[in-house]
Amino acid sequence: MAYGLIVPREVLVLPPLGCINIHGSLLPRWRGAAPIQRALLAGDTETGVTIMQMDSGLDTGPVLLQRRLAISASHTSGSSTAALSSLGASALVEALEGLAAGTLRVSPQPLEGVTYAPKIGKAEARIDWSRDALEIERQIRAFNPWPVAENRAGR
């Protein structure tokens, strides 16, 4: 989880059951570095974790297991990360047990609904007060605790 690089194919084929990843979204939505913040910024009402078989793409491997989490108006990226970490840990144990027992059904990710969650930059946290209040509220929650939404210079 959160490795940040594409794992070489030579490494992916080493383990007998392949390499497994915990991703903080319901793939294929929000592939990439900042799925939790992007879900909050977009106003998603639901997120979750995906336990996936890794392949040579960016969060493109087959899905082993998904668990959902409702996003409330009080969720920040910090509180969402904490909730998803706990959910992901139990989902990982469940997936590993299913893999070992041969009872887990592997599903390719759907081609529809793919979105990308690029890395967050500090400049994105600057509040533009001319934007809609709901967008500003989402920005404040998405960038809490980092990089922290802040007043734009000159305002």
Side-chain angles (χ1 to χ4, degrees), residues 17 19-29 47-54 59-69 84-100 102-110:
L17 297 176
C19 293
I20 307 300
N21 184 35
I22 306 170
H23 186 76
S25 79
L26 297 172
L27 291 170
R29 185 151 176 84
T47 189
V49 292
T50 299
I51 310 300
M52 59 176 280
Q53 190 88 44
M54 293 172 66
D59 300 326
T60 57
V63 172
L64 302 174
L65 189 72
Q66 290 186 320
R67 293 295 175 255
R68 297 176 180 281
L69 175 73
L84 290 170
S85 293
S86 178
L87 191 61
S90 62
L92 178 61
V93 170
E94 184 181 344
L96 291 173
E97 288 172 350
L99 273 176
T103 59
L104 200 60
R105 185 174 160 257
V106 178
S107 304
Q109 289 185 38

Side-chain angles (χ1 to χ4, degrees), residues 24 34-41 47 69 71-85 120 137-149:
I36 296 168
Q37 294 91 339
R38 298 296 173 196
L40 290 168
L41 285 170
T47 189
L69 175 73
I71 299 176
S72 74
S74 65
H75 273 113
T76 64
S77 80
S79 66
S80 297
T81 298
L84 290 170
S85 293
I120 298 295
E137 184 266 343
R138 289 176 185 161
Q139 180 183 18
I140 290 167
R141 290 189 301 117
F143 299 138
N144 174 355
W146 189 91
V148 180

